[in-house]
Amino acid sequence: MKSICLYCGSSNDVEPKYLELAKKLGATLAEQNYRLVYGGGSVGLMGAAATAAHEAGGKVLGIMPRFLLTKERIFDSVEHRIVETMHERKQMMFDESDGFIVLPGGIGTLEEAVEMLSWARLGLHCKPMAFLDEGQFWDPFFELMGHIVTGKFTPTEFLELFAHTKSPMDAIEALEIRFKQV
Ligand code: AMP
């Protein structure tokens, strides 16, 4: 079974369509027999995806730093590991997964996704990444990436490592295509 790491927002205050998409993704991962690896919380899109995956009979691994146990409300109905720092969390989420899906999120989501892309840029791994939204959420990010490539700060080939997808199945397929290439 492959494991897919999910980066996504922890806010509960977002438009319901984002929480719905997270639920759809969680259920689809379970149905397609992928293990969901994520930050371990019950809040926001994180909680929505993990709960849906769990309820659909999927495997879920949550990785949570001790100091966030209360704030992000650890989801303890699934397998979870408690670590001491954000760095440990990020490293373990990376080690436990074969690729990444990035749902809409805030600065934490962006930080996690960009760090994994920067590790890929340094040649430290070639695990693929799919950004997923059903609208335009990630458009500005892809515009920024295009701008960076146009300025020749990053080679064009780098853009092949990550996809912009519009449904959970598209995201999974985009990862699968890239799994086969490496
Ligand atoms: P946000 O997108 O800001 O709602 O954050 C999404 C998730 O990313 C939350 O679970 C945060 O705890 C987590 N996060 C934020 N910064 C980091 C970091 N430096 N390393 C690992 N996780 C982080």
Side-chain angles (χ1 to χ4, degrees), residues 21-62:
L21 177 59
K23 279 189 209 167
K24 253 193 262 175
L25 174 65
T28 307
L29 288 172
E31 283 153 18
Q32 298 295 318
N33 208 28
Y34 291 92
R35 181 177 71 151
L36 169 65
V37 175
Y38 85 116
S42 305
V43 290
L45 276 67
M46 301 166 77
T51 305
H54 179 57
E55 285 175 358
K59 275 200 168 197
V60 179
L61 171 64

Side-chain angles (χ1 to χ4, degrees), residues 8-10 46 68 72 86 89-90 105-109 111-112:
C8 63
S10 58
M46 301 166 77
L68 285 176
E72 293 192 355
M86 298 306 260
R89 175 200 239 181
K90 220 161 15 185
I107 194 72
T109 303
E111 194 271 349
E112 291 172 304

Side-chain angles (χ1 to χ4, degrees), residues 14 35-36 48 52 96 108 119 136 172 175:
V14 297
R35 181 177 71 151
L36 169 65
E96 292 287 343
W119 288 5
Q136 284 87 41
I172 291 169
L175 296 186

Side-chain angles (χ1 to χ4, degrees), residues 8-134:
C8 63
S10 58
S11 171
N12 286 318
D13 294 333
V14 297
E15 283 182 53
K17 65 179 181 187
Y18 295 122
L19 296 161
E20 281 308 313
L21 177 59
K23 279 189 209 167
K24 253 193 262 175
L25 174 65
T28 307
L29 288 172
E31 283 153 18
Q32 298 295 318
N33 208 28
Y34 291 92
R35 181 177 71 151
L36 169 65
V37 175
Y38 85 116
S42 305
V43 290
L45 276 67
M46 301 166 77
T51 305
H54 179 57
E55 285 175 358
K59 275 200 168 197
V60 179
L61 171 64
I63 301 164
M64 172 77 81
R66 193 176 304 282
F67 76 97
L68 285 176
L69 282 177
T70 310
K71 188 167 177 238
E72 293 192 355
R73 302 211 315 267
I74 183 125
F75 182 32
D76 56 12
S77 308
V78 296
E79 184 184 350
H80 55 279
R81 300 200 195 136
I82 296 168
V83 295
E84 299 307 320
T85 67
M86 298 306 260
H87 287 296
E88 276 178 77
R89 175 200 239 181
K90 220 161 15 185
Q91 183 71 48
M92 197 178 284
M93 286 167 76
F94 169 78
D95 291 338
E96 292 287 343
S97 49
D98 302 294
F100 315 96
I101 292 180
V102 189
L103 278 172
I107 194 72
T109 303
L110 204 51
E111 194 271 349
E112 291 172 304
V114 168
E115 179 157 40
M116 289 309 123
L117 290 176
S118 75
W119 288 5
R121 174 77 180 106
L122 296 169
L124 296 174
H125 74 86
C126 42
K127 296 182 185 182
M129 183 176 281
F131 287 76
L132 169 59
D133 61 50
E134 288 176 318

